[in-house]
Amino acid sequence: KAILEIRNMSKTYHTLDGETKALYNLSFNVNHGEIVSIVGPSGCGKSTILSIIAGLIKPTTGEIVFHNKNKDIGYMFQSDHLFNWRTIMDNVLIGLEIQKKVSDESKSRVSNLLDTYGLGDFKNHYPNQLSGGMRQRVALIRTLATEPDLLLLDEPFSALDYQSRLKVSDDIAKIIRQEKKTAIMVTHDIAEAISMSSRVIVLSNRPAKIKSIHDIKLTCN
Ligand code: ADP
Ligand code: ADP
């Protein structure tokens, strides 16, 4: 039931001033239906992992095996990347437009998602008429619109203030579970990682670059 296997992955960036070992001998699995968080201080390679999984860069060594039927990967970023001149409905349809999959069926599916997750009354509003938390919900629904099995979330709440983060992160985790998606989230907020995910992977860069990876299995209910 693994949807993704990462085996002995390393990544070294070569630059003019030398090289940076961003990842060293990293291995982990992600199972179907899990929300896995990757936490660690900045510079320890979290974004590098997501970029490799997304296929944006290649690992230096090691391999990555996908077992998802639908190869689509959904990406959700720090900032919501909504277009302020498009309505909420038209923002959510962007991914489907790019893939030329806009149809009556896909439109009504997306419209139902907005209804289900409390945005039904805002379809014809513009992003700047919504709160930050609502915009992140719209961003997630836009990501879900193309029906990816696997979601990659890169610090999705860092643009929100601390009070709304708690509620919004909870809402987002509920939507991911309800839609039966698998997600990998990168964050530097350990509390957020623990409250949202079934498993937390901690990347450590002490004493030098990454030396160890601990896979914490949370067993509390
Ligand atoms: P995090 O997301 O945990 O902050 P990153 O994956 O962004 O960590 O970076 C890991 C390390 O790799 C850092 O030392 C960073 O400076 C370096 N790095 C990241 N991207 C590049 C790049 N394109 N070229 C050179 N070095 C990079
Ligand atoms: P969130 O926690 O999702 O950021 P808020 O706490 O800011 O949401 O808002 C709570 C509720 O107030 C929203 O679910 C929505 O029903 C309503 N709301 C927020 N912003 C607006 C707005 N600009 N216009 C109308 N209603 C709004």
Side-chain angles (χ1 to χ4, degrees):
K1 54 186 174 37
I3 197 170
L4 175 71
E5 294 178 47
I6 288 179
R7 293 280 155 261
N8 307 110
M9 185 180 285
S10 301
K11 175 70 188 179
T12 302
Y13 290 104
H14 297 277
T15 55
L16 291 176
D17 352 304
E19 51 176 48
T20 305
K21 284 189 165 57
L23 297 174
Y24 178 70
N25 205 23
L26 183 66
S27 299
F28 66 92
N29 281 4
V30 177
N31 294 326
H32 188 80
E34 277 191 304
I35 300 179
V36 172
S37 288
I38 300 172
V39 299
S42 79
C44 71
K46 301 185 297 296
S47 302
T48 299
I49 297 174
L50 287 194
S51 299
I52 291 172
I53 296 172
L56 301 174
I57 59 173
K58 285 200 161 64
T60 308
T61 64
E63 60 173 353
I64 174 162
V65 185
F66 289 97
H67 298 292
N68 48 336
K69 285 169 267 157
N70 171 353
K71 288 282 175 229
D72 244 5
I73 292 178
Y75 218 114
M76 186 170 159
F77 306 92
Q78 304 190 4
S79 110
D80 53 54
H81 291 273
L82 298 179
F83 294 113
N84 278 324
W85 62 90
R86 296 189 120 197
T87 63
I88 296 308
M89 186 67 188
D90 287 343
N91 264 286
V92 168
L93 288 172
I94 285 171
L96 290 165
E97 284 173 15
I98 292 168
Q99 298 186 354
K100 303 209 188 316
K101 286 182 186 161
V102 179
S103 63
D104 289 344
E105 185 278 327
S106 65
K107 271 189 187 166
S108 89
R109 188 165 48 74
V110 162
S111 177
N112 287 338
L113 282 172
L114 289 169
D115 292 339
T116 305
Y117 298 114
L119 293 160
D121 294 338
F122 298 92
K123 287 172 196 167
N124 297 317
H125 284 57
Y126 289 86
N128 58 18
Q129 298 175 290
L130 272 58
S131 70
M134 294 166 85
R135 285 203 300 270
Q136 280 308 72
R137 240 159 41 226
V138 173
L140 178 64
I141 291 169
R142 179 184 52 190
T143 303
L144 294 173
T146 55
E147 303 190 286
D149 295 327
L150 180 62
L151 305 175
L152 303 180
L153 314 183
D154 191 355
E155 300 266 5
F157 314 114
S158 56
L160 303 175
D161 62 80
Y162 188 72
Q163 285 306 316
S164 29
R165 285 177 77 127
L166 298 176
K167 180 181 174 294
V168 175
S169 60
D170 201 45
D171 289 346
I172 295 288
K174 278 183 189 142
I175 298 174
I176 294 170
R177 294 208 171 88
Q178 199 163 324
E179 297 297 319
K180 299 184 168 38
K181 299 296 177 187
T182 307
I184 303 173
M185 178 176 81
V186 156
T187 178
H188 57 258
D189 186 335
I190 185 83
E192 184 174 283
I194 289 173
S195 79
M196 284 183 71
S197 28
S198 44
R199 210 142 55 86
V200 180
I201 292 172
V202 181
L203 291 177
S204 159
N205 61 359
R206 279 190 214 122
K209 289 289 173 188
I210 293 164
K211 283 281 193 288
S212 61
I213 174 166
H214 309 282
D215 213 352
I216 304 173
K217 289 201 162 63
L218 299 173
T219 52
C220 62
N221 298 306

